[in-house]
Amino acid sequence: MTEIAKEWNRIQKGDVKVELTPLRKRALGSHLNMLYSIVEANSSIIDETGQLAFRLKREDLESVGEMDFLLNWFYRNEVPEQFSKYAKLIAQARGVYREQFDSVVEAKLQRDEANLEKAREGNAPYMNNDLPYVKSLISIVQAQRVPEKSKLFVLYEGQPLYEGEIPEGIFQDLPLGTNVYFDHTAQGLQLNLTRTLDERN
């Protein structure tokens, strides 16, 4: 069984947490933007007035379907404003192409599932011919594994000096999986708020 098939099985079984952390959200936004740019380059989706115009090719419908797959996976029907551009493209593609959009996406998903089954059987070469939508999802999930416990790090001149788990309840309202950084200075330990917040955003 290939690694992608193993990881997909783990996600489906709930062995891997798929909470949309800030790092994963950035990875999702980056991937959606890449897909949008590909569709924009391949097809004329913006007219001279800046409005959406549609002349989508089959491969572009598959890319829009991938956007739909990812947004549905993470957000269901509550897509946040920052991803509204992609939701609008999906809605308009569905509106213009209707049955064609659904049939293209369904055919793609069926090919993906067939390739995944071959991958489960150890038939890795098939994965190089038609990569599944789930590979995108896996790459976003792998952008950050959610740690089971929050951790405390003490840094000395920017290098780790100490690392340990933070017992629940030590820092009030601390989200699970937060890394808290302190700098070891001549005056004692000082909270490194910049690095602590950088990892959460």
Side-chain angles (χ1 to χ4, degrees):
M1 185 183 295
T2 63
E3 286 304 312
I4 189 170
K6 287 179 184 174
E7 189 72 0
W8 180 236
N9 286 348
R10 292 177 67 217
I11 289 172
Q12 287 187 309
K13 290 177 183 175
D15 295 339
V16 177
K17 292 187 177 182
V18 290
E19 173 191 341
L20 196 55
T21 63
L23 285 175
R24 286 177 179 157
K25 196 170 185 179
R26 276 207 299 264
L28 173 61
S30 176
H31 192 73
L32 290 172
N33 191 56
M34 179 196 69
L35 290 170
Y36 189 94
S37 298
I38 289 171
V39 173
E40 193 172 33
N42 284 347
S43 303
S44 301
I45 64 171
I46 306 294
D47 67 17
E48 59 278 358
T49 66
Q51 299 298 311
L52 283 169
F54 283 83
R55 289 181 291 277
L56 300 185
K57 303 170 185 173
R58 182 184 181 88
E59 59 266 29
D60 295 320
L61 288 175
E62 290 183 351
S63 293
V64 176
E66 185 174 341
M67 292 182 200
D68 191 35
F69 174 82
L70 292 171
L71 287 174
N72 275 332
W73 182 274
F74 288 109
Y75 290 109
R76 302 300 175 202
N77 297 320
E78 298 181 9
V79 177
E81 177 63 29
Q82 73 181 98
F83 296 140
S84 62
K85 175 172 83 170
Y86 313 115
K88 184 176 182 182
L89 176 60
I90 293 163
Q92 296 212 5
R94 280 188 184 281
V96 171
Y97 288 91
R98 295 183 182 85
E99 293 86 4
Q100 185 184 354
F101 179 85
D102 290 334
S103 65
V104 165
V105 171
E106 183 58 32
K108 172 66 174 165
L109 288 172
Q110 287 179 5
R111 290 199 310 275
D112 293 347
E113 184 54 42
N115 284 342
L116 276 171
E117 190 54 42
K118 289 167 185 171
R120 290 183 185 108
E121 297 167 359
N123 237 330
Y126 286 96
M127 300 304 295
N128 298 323
N129 298 329
D130 191 17
L131 295 175
Y133 288 176
V134 295
K135 186 175 182 189
S136 303
L137 175 65
I138 289 170
S139 69
I140 292 164
V141 170
Q142 289 181 338
Q144 180 188 25
R145 297 281 190 198
V146 178
E148 293 297 328
K149 297 283 186 180
S150 297
K151 290 187 177 180
L152 182 142
F153 293 87
V154 176
L155 308 175
Y156 180 71
E157 296 183 351
Q159 298 302 312
L161 182 65
Y162 169 83
E163 173 184 339
E165 290 184 354
I166 301 173
E168 291 183 31
I170 295 297
F171 292 102
Q172 188 176 5
D173 298 326
L174 183 70
L176 186 65
T178 300
N179 291 332
V180 180
Y181 291 87
F182 285 86
D183 292 316
H184 186 278
T185 69
Q187 292 76 38
L189 294 180
Q190 293 184 349
L191 176 64
N192 187 327
L193 187 59
T194 300
R195 183 158 179 185
T196 299
L197 293 177
D198 279 348
E199 292 207 4
R200 294 192 57 201
N201 297 321

